[in-house]
Amino acid sequence: MSCFMLMSLVVMSSNSIAHPAYALNSSAALILADTDVIINEIHYNPCQNQGSDGDFEFVELFNSGATTVDLSGWYFSNGITFTFPNGSSIAAGEYIVIAINATSYSGNGYQVFEFGGGLSNNGERIRLRDDNGNTIDDLTYDDNNGWPSAPDGNCNSLELVDASSNNNNGSSWEASTGEPTPGVPNSVSGTPGCTDPSADNYNSNATIEDGSCTYTVLGCTDPAANNYNSSAN
């Protein structure tokens, strides 16, 4: 006897992006909910064609909020050594660069500061605090273990795909599509969602496939039936 069954099959890709706005990351540091300043791009191992690590490494911050944020006294307690001088600020929608050699990126229309130390080619923790010591952003990047590997010496940088995503999750990052993009929007930025028009939850506004597509699968689940469908459940 034939049978039919309506079920929803959720298909998740390996690069699914989590979207907790503010959550405990693996280092157990709570990201504050009252700031929109995030670590948005990391260039930790420039390729030989670009130059040495000692000239072209950088960390980029982005203010995704609607108001200017005073950065006076903010500092990095892990990864690099730098404290923002008094009077520093980041406007709404602004990108600023903290580089190992400020002259490598100066004169391009965005703020550039210079940090001490260097970024590990094997990954490390980067932690940004405000002038009171509160954690603003805290992540541990890597060159494997679910993180893009191309930025490790292949001329790409690590770029955050969506500013609202958990940036301590490797799946929230992609390698830049070409050269790094200091001081400007990331080359991989966009709106995550289901981009498959055949999916039940297709989002016409999505530009970045996040593996969230769901599909309705019709079929018979009885193995003894002539029209048994092994994909239906």
Side-chain angles (χ1 to χ4, degrees):
M1 184 175 66
S2 62
C3 58
F4 294 91
M5 188 173 184
L6 180 65
M7 295 293 292
S8 290
L9 176 66
V10 178
V11 180
M12 299 296 291
S13 71
S14 61
N15 64 341
S16 299
I17 297 176
H19 292 281
Y22 300 97
L24 284 173
N25 62 28
S26 60
S27 59
L30 184 64
I31 295 177
L32 300 181
D34 61 353
T35 179
D36 294 298
V37 178
I38 58 170
I39 297 170
N40 186 65
E41 186 175 4
I42 305 168
H43 194 32
Y44 62 87
N45 188 13
C47 64
Q48 292 182 350
N49 289 339
Q50 184 176 19
S52 70
D53 290 13
D55 286 324
F56 290 98
E57 289 183 355
F58 72 82
V59 173
E60 180 190 76
L61 300 183
F62 172 54
N63 181 2
S64 64
T67 59
T68 297
V69 176
D70 183 6
L71 300 177
S72 300
W74 286 28
Y75 64 98
F76 289 87
S77 60
N78 296 82
I80 60 177
T81 302
F82 176 72
T83 300
F84 284 94
N86 289 337
S88 301
S89 65
I90 181 169
E94 184 179 5
Y95 301 83
I96 64 174
V97 170
I98 306 96
I100 194 169
N101 184 348
T103 59
S104 298
Y105 295 99
S106 297
N108 293 307
Y110 48 82
Q111 294 191 73
V112 182
F113 300 89
E114 186 167 307
F115 66 73
L119 294 167
S120 171
N121 294 345
N122 298 317
E124 66 178 318
R125 184 181 187 182
I126 303 177
R127 190 175 188 180
L128 175 65
R129 297 177 183 267
D130 67 14
D131 56 327
N132 292 314
N134 299 310
T135 297
I136 298 299
D137 203 356
D138 190 353
L139 62 87
T140 301
Y141 71 90
D142 205 338
D143 60 354
N144 52 43
N145 299 314
W147 287 75
S149 60
D152 190 2
N154 293 306
C155 299
N156 313 93
S157 64
L158 270 176
E159 293 188 338
L160 188 63
V161 175
D162 177 16
S164 67
S165 66
N166 178 4
N167 67 354
N168 195 39
N169 188 331
S171 64
S172 298
W173 298 76
E174 295 286 351
S176 60
T177 57
E179 293 288 325
T181 56
V184 296
N186 290 343
S187 63
V188 298
S189 62
T191 301
C194 176
T195 60
D196 184 353
S198 66
D200 297 335
N201 61 332
Y202 168 62
N203 181 354
S204 60
N205 294 318
T207 57
I208 303 293
E209 173 58 50
D210 67 357
S212 66
C213 294
T214 60
Y215 302 85
T216 298
V217 178
L218 292 174
C220 175
T221 59
D222 185 352
N226 292 332
N227 64 332
Y228 168 64
N229 184 349
S230 61
S231 297
N233 57 5

